[in-house]
């Protein structure tokens, strides 16, 4: 028996490791279609952009060899060493990207500017991801940054600027990728004019954006084979060109050729770095899309396929160009042997579409994360995959991106100008990522400041050289991402500013609990059966909207729940930890608080079960409160009661649930039972237009428990009866206005900017999936 167990134990680890490896290989295969589409299509335009302008005077063999050497070492230092070796280790619960780094910093040092943060949020399992924060509690740098709010605001501005540049990528990537891919047709058929090429590119782009609503997962299975065929094609062409045209190109792997390159080209060579950096555009996707894969799978795909295939392709193009310098304007397509030209041209176009798809998806994700930080207006978020969490589609952003991409394509009509814009956007994002990573090394990894400074200075020097070259090309198209970023930053700032002012108004105008307690359990009005869910952004206290009801309405619901839906600085909150439940006033008042917590990548699904989960959570809280003495402090007249995390588990629930499915045809029944002949005559037409809908109706009943406290039983019965009577959702319909004494800029921002955004974004009730038929809105004017 023991021997058998011993054999089983010894064979298990190898079986387990084989399972992990096979899973990672499968994920690596899938990552080709999602992560590497953009990076792998860079050979279409790198040499063309590098040797544009004054560099056309320097098309000698040594300069071409030097350009390849620059591409090789840039590709080695940034994607391989910085991203693959270092950055992929700085994940946030498996998530990557600029926001993941910022989220890590917010948790390990108090950098967060999100309102409503509570000590209970730090108990979330995802919050504790990474090393303990004990060792750096006394760090002077940490204390300095935490003390100065302006520095924390500056950090958020830097992160948002990086996010705006990613949105800029979402505009520029499809334009440059598709335009470069279709330019191969001009090589094959000289009769095609530039206008016809641009028109074809626009048609492909419209088709690409029109298909976004299907979701990436529908075509993801096709994407990986396309990129793999593309990689095999460019590897083969690269090897052919090296062997056939100039095998001496292998010598250019030496950095000695970089020195020769700059000695011969001088300032022109430095400006041409704006073209060289296009070889690493798309690198950020390796880190940003980490959430859908694993670090190991992305590393395997890069090391085994992407890195060797692209290095060989760039080497092959350089070998071809060293013998054909006049082909520089269409270097990739001219270097393809005639026999395989058309198949490669088709694959190039498909690969360009795949590359564009990845960046568009990343843009949707970035906008969703900005909204979670309170820095972007409410937009419709559609979850496009049941299996891949985080695959989303945002219709408004999709059509805005399409219009901007078409404007860039038609406006520039040239990959060199778009390349200048694209290079600046990508390098800015990398520059910001390096800065955030240096902070992560200090505050999250708890390494020395010297190590972080070495990392920062080394990569900032390399990236700074490229960034300076890209900035030199601002007049030649580089202004495009700067203008786009400025517009999106202004939009984000106005929304954040207005939202923050509105929140502060709510915070300073809370209803006094002493006033509520003075009214007594009836609140001085008639308490009718039913549950009133009062929505507010406040995590503590009673919102001012409630006093409007109490003073103006003759009756109110018997059970009141103050609901606060808020974001926390973690990517996902597990369903078991989502609800925080507490009591607002003593037990006879039947007033509770529910805080619903979402991570910055969580999606609020409209599954219709919110009410039932809420009732279950409150019932669990009532029973737990009766058993656990530490919650007895909730009877204190001066404070809100303590909050407790309520995990919903129907199996363990002490309430017995009778779930019955039935067809709710209440309107039909009312028509049928009506004595009006007119209504009865309308019945057949109504039946034709309205299909019958099956709805899941949940009824709550108390279990027969003789040992239950009578007051607890009474409270639970009130809760169940209130649920049966119906649930109403109460929200404030706010009008935010600047005070008369405000400055002109503030009036402009609040009365025009913020007001315009609020009127044209999705309403809060729609964003929170509140059923319109049960909604009560209370008008309120906020003078901020």
């Amino acid at each position: 028996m023991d021997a058998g167990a011993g054999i089983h134990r010894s064979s298990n680890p190898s079986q387990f490791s084989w399972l992990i490896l096979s899973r990672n290989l499968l994920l690596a295969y899938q990552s080709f279609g999602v992560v590497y589409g953009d990076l792998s299509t860079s050979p279409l335009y790198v040499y063309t952009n590098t040797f544009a302008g004054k560099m056309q005077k320097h098309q000698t063999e040594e300069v071409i060899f030097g350009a390849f050497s620059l591409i090789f070492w840039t590709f080695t230092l940034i994607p391989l060493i910085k991203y693959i070796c270092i950055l992929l280790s700085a994940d946030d619960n498996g998530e990557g990207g600029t926001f993941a780094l910022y989220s890590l910093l917010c948790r390990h040092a108090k950098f967060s500017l999100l309102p409503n943060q509570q000590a209970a949020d730090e108990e979330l399992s995802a919050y504790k991801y990474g090393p303990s924060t004990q060792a750096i509690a006394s760090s002077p740098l940490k204390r300095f940054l935490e003390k100065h709010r302006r520095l924390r605001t500056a950090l958020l501005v830097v992160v948002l600027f990086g996010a705006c540049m990613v949105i800029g990528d979402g505009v520029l990537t499809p334009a440059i990728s598709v335009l470069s891919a279709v330019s191969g047709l001009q090589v094959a058929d000289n009769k095609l004019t530039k206008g016809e090429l641009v028109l074809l590119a626009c048609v492909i782009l419209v088709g690409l954006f029109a298909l976004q609503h299907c979701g990436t997962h529908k075509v993801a299975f096709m994407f990986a084979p396309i990129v793999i065929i593309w990689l095999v094609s460019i590897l083969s062409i690269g090897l052919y060109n090296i062997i056939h045209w100039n095998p001496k190109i292998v010598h250019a792997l030496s950095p000695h050729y970089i020195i020769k390159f700059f000695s011969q080209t001088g300032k022109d060579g430095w400006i041409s770095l704006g073209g060289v950096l296009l070889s690493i555009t798309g690198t950020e996707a390796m880190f940003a899309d980490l959430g859908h894969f694993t670090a190991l799978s992305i590393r395997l795909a890069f090391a085994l396929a992407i890195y060797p295939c692209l290095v060989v392709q760039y080497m092959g193009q350089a070998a071809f160009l060293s013998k054909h310098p006049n082909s520089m304007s269409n270097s990739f397509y001219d270097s393809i042997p005639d026999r395989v030209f058309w198949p490669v041209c088709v694959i190039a176009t498909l690969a360009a579409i795949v590359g564009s798809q990845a960046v568009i998806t990343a843009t949707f994700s970035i906008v969703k994360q900005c909204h979670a930080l309170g820095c972007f207006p409410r937009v419709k978020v559609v979850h496009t995959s049941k299996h891949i969490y985080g695959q989303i589609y945002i219709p408004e952003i999709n059509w805005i991106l399409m219009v901007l991409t078409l404007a860039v394509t038609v406006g520039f009509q040239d990959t060199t100008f778009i390349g200048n814009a694209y290079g600046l956007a990508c390098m800015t994002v990398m520059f910001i990522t390096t800065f955030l990573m240096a902070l992560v090394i200090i505050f999250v990894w708890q390494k020395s400041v010297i190590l972080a400074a070495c990392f920062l200075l080394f990569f900032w020097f390399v990236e700074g050289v490229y960034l300076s070259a890209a900035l030199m090309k601002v007049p030649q198209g580089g202004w495009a991402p700067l203008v786009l970023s400025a517009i999106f930053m202004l939009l984000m700032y106005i929304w954040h500013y207005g939202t923050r002012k509105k929140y502060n108004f709510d915070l300073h105008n809370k209803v006094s609990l002493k006033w509520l307690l003075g009214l007594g359990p009836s609140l001085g009005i008639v308490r009718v059966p039913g549950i009133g869910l009062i929505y507010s952004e406040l995590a503590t206290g009673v919102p001012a909207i409630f006093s409007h009801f109490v003073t103006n309405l003759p009756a109110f619901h018997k059970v009141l729940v103050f609901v606060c839906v808020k974001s926390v600085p973690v990517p996902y909150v597990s369903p078991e930890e989502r609800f925080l439940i507490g009591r607002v006033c003593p037990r006879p008042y039947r007033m509770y608080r529910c805080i619903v917590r979402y991570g910055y990548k969580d999606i609020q699904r409209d599954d219709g079960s919110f009410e039932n989960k809420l009732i279950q959570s409150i019932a669990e809280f009532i029973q737990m409160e009766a058993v656990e003495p530490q919650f007895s402090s909730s009877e204190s007249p001066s404070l809100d009661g303590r909050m407790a995390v309520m995990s919903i588990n129907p199996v363990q629930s002490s309430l017995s649930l009778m779930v019955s499915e039935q067809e709710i045809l209440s309107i039909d029944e009312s028509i049928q039972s009506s004595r009006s002949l007119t209504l009865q005559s309308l019945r057949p037409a109504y039946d034709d237009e309205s299909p019958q809908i099956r709805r899941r109706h949940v009824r709550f009943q108390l279990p027969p428990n003789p040992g239950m406290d009578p007051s607890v039983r009474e409270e639970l019965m009130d809760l169940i009866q209130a649920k049966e009577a119906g649930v109403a959702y109460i929200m404030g319909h706010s009008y935010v206005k600047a005070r008369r004494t405000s400055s002109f800029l503030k009036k402009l921002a609040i009365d025009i900017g913020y007001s315009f955004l609020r009127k044209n974004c999705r309403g809060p009730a729609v964003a929170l999936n509140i059923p319109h038929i049960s909604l009560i809105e209370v008008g309120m004017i906020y003078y901020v």
Side-chain angles (χ1 to χ4, degrees):
M1 184 84 177
D2 292 337
I7 291 165
H8 179 71
R9 275 197 299 270
S10 64
S11 63
N12 200 31
S14 60
Q15 190 180 359
F16 181 65
S17 60
W18 169 246
L19 271 171
I20 291 173
L21 182 63
S22 58
R23 178 173 171 267
N24 277 294
L25 285 171
L26 180 65
L27 286 170
Y29 165 77
Q30 291 172 342
S31 73
F32 286 116
V34 178
V35 177
Y36 292 116
D38 186 16
L39 188 63
S40 65
T41 51
S42 296
L44 288 169
Y45 43 75
V46 170
Y47 283 107
T48 304
N49 281 59
T50 304
F51 286 92
K54 292 181 180 177
M55 278 297 289
Q56 289 172 358
K57 299 182 294 184
H58 304 286
Q59 292 177 356
T60 63
E61 184 174 293
E62 278 200 337
V63 171
I64 290 166
F65 277 32
F68 164 69
S69 191
L70 267 169
I71 291 167
F72 171 74
W73 285 103
T74 306
F75 204 70
T76 304
L77 284 174
I78 294 177
L80 184 64
I81 296 174
K82 179 186 159 185
Y83 279 85
I84 292 294
C85 299
I86 301 171
L87 227 68
L88 286 184
S89 304
D91 64 301
D92 176 17
N93 293 274
E95 293 297 324
T98 316
F99 278 96
L101 295 176
Y102 180 65
S103 171
L104 279 172
L105 290 169
C106 285
R107 298 206 305 274
H108 287 80
K110 304 287 184 258
F111 292 162
S112 179
L113 290 171
L114 280 172
N116 298 335
Q117 298 306 294
Q118 299 164 286
D121 298 338
E122 296 179 20
E123 298 303 315
L124 288 165
S125 53
Y127 205 98
K128 298 167 187 172
Y129 187 82
S132 162
T133 56
Q134 301 299 318
I136 51 161
S138 60
S139 163
L141 180 62
K142 183 167 174 274
R143 284 202 305 270
F144 177 75
L145 290 171
E146 286 176 354
K147 195 168 79 173
H148 293 84
R149 185 183 170 83
R150 284 187 178 180
L151 291 174
R152 288 182 287 144
T153 307
L155 183 66
L156 178 64
V157 168
V158 166
V159 171
L160 292 177
F161 185 65
C164 290
M165 281 294 183
V166 172
I167 295 169
D169 276 357
V171 172
L172 297 165
T173 304
I176 191 169
S177 298
V178 174
L179 200 55
S180 299
V182 298
S183 66
L185 297 174
Q186 201 170 27
V187 176
D189 186 359
N190 289 322
K191 292 175 188 173
L192 274 174
T193 63
K194 185 172 271 191
E196 288 168 340
L197 273 183
V198 169
L199 182 64
L200 179 61
C202 289
V203 169
I204 293 171
L205 287 168
V206 169
L208 175 66
F209 283 102
L211 288 171
Q212 289 302 310
H213 71 279
C214 297
T216 308
H217 69 287
K218 296 268 176 80
V219 276
F221 189 74
M222 282 168 46
F223 282 4
I226 288 169
V227 176
I228 289 168
I229 294 166
W230 166 249
L231 289 170
V232 170
S233 303
I234 61 174
L235 176 72
S236 309
I237 294 164
L239 283 170
Y240 170 82
N241 285 332
I242 293 166
I243 296 161
H244 189 261
W245 295 113
N246 198 345
K248 288 181 188 172
I249 188 67
V250 179
H251 297 246
L253 292 171
S254 163
H256 174 66
Y257 278 86
I258 296 175
I259 299 163
K260 285 185 175 180
F261 175 85
F262 285 115
S263 64
Q264 290 193 25
T265 58
K267 187 185 173 184
D268 295 340
W270 169 56
I271 292 171
S272 77
L273 290 176
V276 173
L277 71 84
L278 293 177
S279 62
I280 54 169
T281 52
T283 302
E284 192 69 26
M286 290 195 293
F287 187 46
D289 291 332
L290 182 59
H292 304 315
F293 305 97
T294 59
L296 180 59
S297 63
I298 287 176
R299 284 172 172 144
L300 281 171
F302 186 83
L304 299 179
I306 300 294
Y307 186 76
C309 289
L310 287 178
V311 167
V312 169
Q313 166 57 30
Y314 287 123
M315 194 187 282
Q317 261 195 74
F320 173 80
L321 289 171
S322 65
K323 301 297 179 188
H324 306 85
N326 294 331
S327 294
M328 205 62 79
S329 60
N330 266 310
S331 61
F332 176 77
Y333 285 107
D334 284 349
S335 69
I336 301 170
D338 291 340
R339 279 173 289 181
V340 292
F341 179 86
W342 283 111
V344 173
C345 187
V346 171
I347 289 291
T349 307
L350 292 173
I353 292 167
V354 172
S356 306
Q357 173 65 48
V359 178
I360 294 165
T361 307
T363 307
F364 294 153
S365 184
I366 282 281
V367 168
K368 165 77 180 65
Q369 290 167 25
C370 288
H371 170 63
L373 282 174
C375 296
F376 205 90
R378 288 178 295 270
V379 285
K380 182 181 182 179
V381 177
V382 181
H383 200 256
T384 58
S385 171
K386 289 179 182 175
H387 310 293
I388 306 171
Y389 200 84
Q391 289 283 344
I392 57 172
Y393 164 67
I394 302 174
E396 297 97 327
I397 300 299
N398 185 56
W399 303 123
I400 289 168
L401 284 181
M402 187 187 81
V403 170
L404 291 172
T405 303
L406 292 173
V408 164
T409 309
V410 173
F412 287 131
Q413 298 190 7
D414 185 358
T415 53
T416 305
F417 284 109
I418 302 172
N420 294 342
Y422 185 35
L424 179 59
C426 289
M427 196 44 71
T428 307
V429 175
M430 288 180 187
F431 204 72
I432 289 167
T433 305
T434 302
F435 170 65
L436 293 174
M437 187 63 215
L439 293 178
V440 166
I441 291 170
I442 300 169
F443 297 120
V444 182
W445 290 0
Q446 300 170 20
K447 303 293 181 189
S448 71
V449 176
I450 296 166
L451 184 70
C454 291
F455 171 85
L456 183 71
L457 291 173
F458 176 74
F459 284 106
W460 260 14
F461 172 74
V462 175
E463 290 163 358
V465 171
Y466 283 107
L467 190 61
S468 64
L471 286 169
M472 291 297 290
K473 295 191 173 184
V474 166
Q476 291 91 39
W479 55 267
L482 295 174
V483 169
L484 283 172
S485 295
I487 292 167
F488 278 106
M489 276 292 283
L490 184 66
L491 183 146
M492 286 180 183
Y493 177 76
I494 289 172
W495 182 260
H496 181 72
Y497 180 74
T499 307
R500 200 61 191 249
K501 288 288 180 189
K502 180 176 170 293
Y503 174 78
N504 287 335
F505 181 92
D506 272 333
L507 201 61
H508 294 128
N509 291 276
K510 288 194 287 192
V511 175
S512 163
L513 279 177
K514 285 182 181 176
W515 178 71
L516 278 178
L517 293 165
L519 294 174
S522 69
L523 300 176
I525 51 177
V526 179
R527 300 289 290 272
V528 296
I531 296 177
L533 303 182
I534 301 161
Y535 278 78
S536 160
E537 290 177 12
L538 296 176
T540 57
V542 177
I545 174 184
F546 183 64
S547 63
H548 281 244
F549 271 106
V550 175
T551 51
N552 295 310
L553 289 178
F556 213 62
H557 302 88
K558 192 168 188 178
V559 175
L560 295 174
V561 185
F562 294 98
V563 181
C564 168
V565 178
K566 70 170 194 175
S567 291
V568 285
V570 295
Y572 302 108
V573 176
S574 66
E576 296 78 32
E577 298 178 303
R578 195 169 306 287
F579 290 93
L580 262 179
I581 303 290
R583 197 184 285 283
V584 175
C585 285
R587 182 170 281 156
Y589 283 72
R590 304 290 191 256
M591 289 167 69
Y592 310 94
R593 180 181 311 288
C594 172
I595 295 173
V596 190
R597 302 178 292 184
Y598 287 96
Y600 60 82
K601 292 201 86 171
D602 266 325
I603 288 149
Q604 298 176 31
R605 294 176 188 247
D606 183 15
D607 55 6
S609 62
F610 174 73
E611 288 175 18
N612 299 326
K613 287 177 182 173
L614 181 63
I615 303 305
Q616 259 185 289
S617 299
I618 293 170
E620 292 288 330
F621 174 78
I622 292 166
Q623 289 174 304
M624 188 191 76
E625 188 187 41
V627 177
E628 297 187 22
Q630 69 263 35
F631 284 94
S632 61
S633 62
S634 62
E635 298 290 332
S636 163
S638 59
L639 297 167
D640 270 348
R642 284 186 57 179
M643 306 291 288
V645 176
M646 290 290 124
S647 61
I648 315 300
N649 191 340
V651 178
Q652 294 174 353
S653 177
S654 53
L655 288 174
S656 62
L657 298 178
M658 290 177 63
V659 181
S660 59
E661 278 199 13
Q662 59 185 43
E663 288 182 6
I664 299 170
L665 300 165
S666 54
I667 302 173
D668 290 45
E669 286 163 11
S670 66
I671 293 172
Q672 193 174 18
S673 60
S674 173
R675 293 180 185 177
S676 163
L677 292 171
T678 314
L679 279 179
Q680 285 194 7
S681 68
L682 288 172
R683 179 176 159 75
Y686 180 83
D687 282 346
D688 291 340
E689 287 178 19
S690 302
Q692 294 180 349
I693 302 165
R694 290 181 68 83
R695 290 181 186 166
R696 194 165 173 264
H697 187 61
V698 179
R699 295 179 69 91
F700 294 94
Q701 286 185 344
L702 274 179
N705 184 355
M708 188 182 284
D709 187 309
S711 63
V712 172
R713 177 175 283 275
E714 184 191 348
E715 190 171 2
L716 288 172
M717 282 304 297
D718 283 349
L719 184 68
I720 292 167
Q721 286 166 7
K723 170 69 171 78
E724 290 300 314
V727 179
Y729 295 78
I730 298 126
M731 295 194 81
H733 189 82
S734 53
Y735 299 90
V736 183
K737 292 184 178 294
R739 290 197 189 100
R740 287 183 181 179
T741 54
S742 301
S743 66
F744 172 74
L745 274 176
K746 187 176 177 180
K747 284 180 179 174
L748 191 70
I750 297 292
D751 295 345
I752 296 173
Y754 187 68
S755 176
F756 174 80
L757 291 174
R758 274 186 72 84
K759 283 174 186 170
N760 290 282
C761 74
R762 289 174 77 77
V766 181
L768 294 166
N769 300 314
I770 292 172
H772 192 71
I773 198 163
S774 309
L775 178 65
I776 302 168
E777 289 195 285
V778 188
M780 275 192 76
I781 296 178
Y782 289 74
Y783 286 103
V784 298

